[in-house]
């Protein structure tokens, strides 16, 4: 499956609330694999379906980016939800494959309990901390038509 990155803050697909995934079939597995490939090729740590012009609640995120003691893990999240989030927050720099050259600081919960399905339809519930939580929440925003620039506390560069 050949995917193309959608870029620009005003693209309609990036401003749309995406639909739940209903069918966990081989097409979904193929899409997930293609999304992982384009994310790695684009040197991103996360990518959401609307960023490849697909209206579906799917994203890919990389775990353990900020930990050198364990390897990175590239994971798909389908129909993801946040079950709870810490009141402790942290300001951190973000960028986005759909907004090249734009970086800025966004405040996010330090920790959150999340659940999602993998491409096989298995439900995963886990606690994410730090950068893992940040990537997850950034990608989840994409599924609701929200970009990180909507939440900037200060813009570093444009
Ligand atoms: Zn993004």
């Amino acid at each position: 499956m050949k995917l193309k990155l959608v870029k620009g803050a005003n693209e309609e697909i990036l401003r749309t609330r995406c639909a739940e995934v209903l069918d966990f079939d081989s097409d979904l597995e193929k899409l997930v694999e293609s999304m992982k490939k384009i994310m790695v090729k684009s040197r991103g740590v996360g990518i959401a379906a609307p960023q490849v012009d697909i209206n579906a609640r799917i994203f890919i995120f990389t775990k353990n980016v900020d930990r050198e003691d364990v390897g990175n893990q590239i994971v798909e999240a389908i129909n993801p939800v946040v079950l709870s989030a810490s009141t402790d927050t942290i300001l951190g720099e973000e960028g986005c494959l759909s907004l090249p050259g734009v970086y800025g600081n966004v405040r996010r919960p330090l920790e959150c309990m999340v659940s999602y399905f993998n491409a096989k339809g298995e439900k995963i519930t886990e606690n994410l901390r730090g950068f893992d939580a940040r990537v997850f929440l950034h990608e989840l925003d994409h599924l609701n038509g929200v970009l990180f620039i909507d939440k900037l506390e200060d813009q570093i560069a444009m």
Side-chain angles (χ1 to χ4, degrees):
M1 186 181 286
K2 188 86 183 127
L3 299 175
K4 198 174 174 292
L5 267 179
V6 178
K7 294 176 190 173
N10 300 317
E11 290 293 321
E12 198 182 340
I13 187 71
L14 294 179
R15 293 308 195 173
T16 301
R17 185 184 159 83
C18 294
E20 297 277 325
V21 172
L22 302 176
D23 298 319
F24 288 79
D25 54 15
S26 60
D27 284 348
L28 178 65
E29 289 191 40
K30 279 179 208 150
L31 172 60
V32 161
E33 286 316 306
S34 299
M35 285 176 65
K36 286 178 180 175
K37 274 188 199 137
I38 195 170
M39 184 193 81
V40 170
K41 194 173 149 224
S42 311
R43 298 175 177 277
V45 293
I47 193 167
Q51 294 182 275
V52 290
D53 207 20
I54 291 170
N55 182 335
R57 300 189 79 75
I58 305 167
F59 64 72
I60 310 298
F61 73 112
T62 310
K63 287 202 257 189
N64 306 326
V65 172
D66 57 348
R67 289 182 60 182
E68 283 176 16
D69 54 327
V70 284
N72 287 359
Q73 207 187 339
I74 296 174
V75 180
E76 72 270 22
I78 298 158
N79 298 341
V81 292
V82 174
L83 302 171
S84 65
S86 64
T87 48
D88 285 351
T89 60
I90 184 168
L91 198 61
E93 190 182 321
E94 296 188 16
C96 182
L97 291 176
S98 293
L99 303 167
V102 185
Y103 301 92
N105 284 330
V106 178
R107 187 166 294 284
R108 305 261 186 202
L110 188 59
E111 214 171 326
C112 55
M113 184 65 78
V114 302
S115 82
Y116 54 90
F117 293 85
N118 66 19
K120 292 178 192 149
E122 297 162 342
K123 191 177 187 179
I124 292 134
T125 301
E126 64 182 350
N127 193 60
L128 298 175
R129 274 186 67 84
F131 198 71
D132 290 354
R134 177 171 301 281
V135 177
F136 190 97
L137 295 169
H138 174 118
E139 299 310 325
L140 182 57
D141 277 348
H142 273 300
L143 306 186
N144 297 322
V146 175
L147 299 173
F148 84 95
I149 50 169
D150 304 341
K151 300 184 160 184
L152 280 188
E153 289 210 359
D154 54 77
Q155 190 156 306
I156 294 167
M158 186 109 182

